[in-house]
Structures are given as structure tokens and as C-alpha cells.
Amino acid sequence: GAPRIVVDGDSTGTVITTNTVQFGSISVTDAPGTAITSNTVTNTCTPGVVIAGSSTGPVVRNNIVVSVGSAILQPTPCADPATATAVSVATSALSGASTDYNLIDPRGGGALYRWGDTAHATIESFRAATGQGTHDIAAPPGLESVLGGSRAYMTLAATSPAIDSADAAAAGALATDT
């Protein structure tokens, strides 16, 4: 899907927090110091979070990213997993980049991270190569659809690995989770 949240044009210090992005991505270009915190990004076989250009010093924390080949609640692998990278940080944006406490659904088959020019299919590979993602989790997130009035929204199942797994001190993290 197309980017649903876009930060660009020499923005600095932007905080993107507590959003649900369905069928799209978060895109940051030429926006140094951007913090992407506590968002849920779900889409079908497209990138989840993309940081490009001169967006140095990005912080990606406490996010749930799902990129799968079909309905989020009944996922299938992507026909072309190369299109389904969960979090991508361009080489030009790596200086000062930090990521941790994210929950990435691996069922689409895409890379969990593209860090510069290197794709990482597993959290272990990503950690070993970058020293990042110490508290990241690669697992189905346990999202559930709830009908609220005339609109459905996503919530976490009681067994979700996202529960009690976030960094409460991350930029933009809310004081409570309600």
C-alpha cells in the first residue's frame, strides 16, 4: 500500500506515535531525528516503515509491523517476499539510527529489517550485524478485529507477545496504554 503517514521536506525532530496504519506504510524522507513510536502498521506485502534520504538519527521503537499476503487476521506468505520488508533504513539515514522493542510478524516471508544495503530475515541476524533490536520480537502479533460503532479497529489478544514488551521511556510513548 501507499504511504499513509509521510514526513519529508526537511522536517526535524518529528514524533509519529500511537497510530494504526492499515494497508499502507510510514514513510520518512529527509527528516532527521524522527521518532516512530508505538504504531501498528499492517499491509499486504509492501514495506511497513521506510526511512530514506538524509533522515539521520531515526528512532524506531515499540511498533507492531505486519506485512503479509492476505487478510491480516488470516495471513499467508507474500508471493514476492522481497516487497514485504518490515522496517527499512537507507544507508544515507543510518548515522545515529536506533531501533528496539518492535514486534514484527514474520509470516509474510519478507525481511524483518533492511539496514542500509543488507536485508535481515531474522532478528538474530539483524542483532548480530548491527547491535540493534535487542528486545525485538519476531512473532505473530495477536491482533484481533473489534467492531466499535460503525468502524472496526484492531486490538491485542490477551496472549499477544506485544503486551508488556515496550520501552516506556521511548520518545512519544504515552504514560498509559489505555
Side-chain angles (χ1 to χ4, degrees):
R4 300 288 187 221
I5 297 177
V6 177
V7 179
D8 61 10
D10 298 319
S11 300
T12 59
T14 303
V15 177
I16 303 167
T17 186
T18 322
N19 296 285
T20 298
V21 178
Q22 291 183 305
F23 306 110
S25 63
I26 296 174
S27 175
V28 177
T29 304
D30 299 329
T34 299
I36 301 170
T37 306
S38 301
N39 301 284
T40 299
V41 179
T42 59
N43 60 52
T44 50
C45 297
T46 58
V49 175
V50 179
I51 301 169
S54 60
S55 300
T56 57
V59 176
V60 181
R61 289 229 186 331
N62 301 350
N63 299 286
I64 297 172
V65 183
V66 178
S67 185
V68 293
S70 61
I72 303 305
L73 299 177
Q74 297 175 342
T76 60
C78 297
D80 181 5
T83 64
T85 299
V87 177
S88 177
V89 180
T91 301
S92 58
L94 284 177
S95 178
S98 172
T99 183
D100 205 2
Y101 295 93
N102 298 296
L103 173 56
I104 301 173
D105 190 336
R107 295 178 291 180
L112 303 182
Y113 280 97
R114 177 169 296 283
W115 205 250
D117 294 330
T118 305
H120 298 278
T122 67
I123 294 291
E124 296 75 20
S125 163
F126 179 64
R127 286 180 187 144
T130 67
Q132 300 285 333
T134 304
H135 302 95
D136 281 357
I137 300 169
L143 292 172
E144 296 179 337
S145 182
V146 176
L147 185 59
S150 62
R151 302 188 78 166
Y153 63 93
M154 303 300 280
T155 189
L156 295 174
T159 57
S160 171
I163 295 173
D164 293 329
S165 69
D167 175 5
L174 300 178
T176 64
D177 61 358
T178 57

